[in-house]
């Protein structure tokens, strides 16, 4: 494990910039997850306590399971007509939980051509020149851990709302504190949030136990379809547009589904593919040394060693699914099958 970056290393340069600025836009990646959303709410709440003007604007709507983070309707979904002026004129744009501008999707152009100072706070392995300041610790299990460090470094005051949001981020991005990315500081920070009134089961329940029969039906289709390759080392499943329409569910309802592909004994690599409007999205997961980020990167995707994603636009679903699954099986066989 690489040495954790200190707050001084990460944030020294941005403190005077943040102090001086008055208007902020916060954003995160397309299809936001608990970490992106929690980091936004945590940071926005802190900045508002400094009397800053803050807007949270995302490419995608907030998935329903994270609606509790947005009880005050602070998170807006990008609409060029409504938001381009705000994005263009902001003093600072915080890009959270991503560091490649492509992942801003519909918002990429507006964010990248804005005169604002862009600051990226993130924990992903891959990054490009999407911001003037890149505050990145790829060893952090969640962006929220860095947001916590930033607030402390700014001598800010935490409250329940910040704790609830950032705890959600830690919980979701560490898979319930079970991934090896979880480090001593992660538990220590979670402990701080408990002292502020966070009840672990309340947050777990909000994030993971608000499903519906429709979502379970969708999961059922996935479970029936899990296929094993590579002697059981690689397991995968797919969902089509028809699956979503038959069950009346959304793409964002698949959050966590890919984990089932790793629940099988000896499964070291798992994949969920789902059909999108114009292509296909792959969620890749792995255990131990199996590096799915290295595979994702060859197609312009990315993420972390054990959790990555890959999106193809304007491609046929069936052919691309077959091709990528075949390549993943080869990749696994070549690199890892014998090491099991
Ligand atoms: P998920 O599979 O849950 O969507 O994402 C797993 C990880 O991969 C997350 O860290 C996410 O940010 C990243 N990721 C997901 N999809 C993509 C993608 O299309 N491109 C890149 N570069 N990263 C992705
Ligand atoms: Mn994250």
């Amino acid at each position: 494990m690489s040495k954790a970056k200190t707050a001084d290393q990460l944030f020294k340069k941005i403190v005077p910039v943040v102090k001086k600025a008055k208007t902020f836009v916060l954003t995160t990646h397309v299809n936001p997850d608990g970490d992106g959303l929690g980091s936004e709410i945590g940071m926005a709440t802190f900045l508002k306590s400094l009397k800053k003007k803050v807007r949270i604007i995302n490419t995608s709507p907030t998935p329903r399971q994270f609606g509790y983070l947005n009880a005050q309707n602070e998170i807006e979904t990008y609409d060029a007509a409504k938001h381009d002026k705000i994005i263009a004129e902001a003093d600072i744009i915080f890009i959270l939980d991503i560091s490649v501008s492509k992942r801003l999707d519909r918002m990429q152009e507006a964010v990248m051509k804005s005169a604002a100072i862009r600051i990226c706070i993130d924990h992903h392995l891959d990054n490009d020149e999407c911001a003037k300041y890149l505050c990145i610790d790829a060893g952090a299990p969640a962006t929220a851990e860095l947001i916590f460090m930033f607030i402390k470094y700014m001598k800010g005051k935490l409250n329940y709302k910040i704790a609830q949001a950032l705890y959600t981020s830690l919980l979701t991005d560490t898979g319930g504190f079970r991934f090896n990315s979880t480090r001593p500081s992660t538990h220590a920070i979670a402990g701080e949030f408990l002292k502020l009134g966070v009840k672990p089961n309340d947050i777990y329940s909000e994030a993971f136990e608000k499903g519906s029969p429709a979502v379970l039906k969708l999961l059922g289709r996935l479970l029936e379809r899990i296929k094993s390759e590579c002697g059981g080392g690689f397991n995968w499943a797919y969902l089509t547009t028809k699956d979503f329409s038959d069950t009346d569910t959304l793409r964002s309802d698949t959050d966590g589904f890919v984990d089932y592909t790793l629940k099988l004994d000896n499964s070291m690599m798992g994949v969920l593919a789902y059909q999108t409007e114009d292509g296909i999205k792959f969620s890749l997961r792995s255990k131990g040394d199996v590096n799915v980020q290295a595979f994702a990167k060859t197609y312009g995707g990315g993420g972390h060693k054990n959790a990555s994603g890959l999106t193809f636009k304007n491609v046929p679903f069936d052919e691309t699914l077959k091709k990528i699954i075949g390549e993943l099986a080869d990749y696994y066989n070549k690199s890892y099958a014998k090491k099991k």
Side-chain angles (χ1 to χ4, degrees), residues 32-43:
D33 57 10
D35 191 22
L37 296 163
S39 293
E40 289 181 324
I41 293 288
M43 181 63 114

Side-chain angles (χ1 to χ4, degrees), residues 35 97 123 143 173:
D35 191 22
D97 200 37
H123 68 134
T143 298
D173 252 29

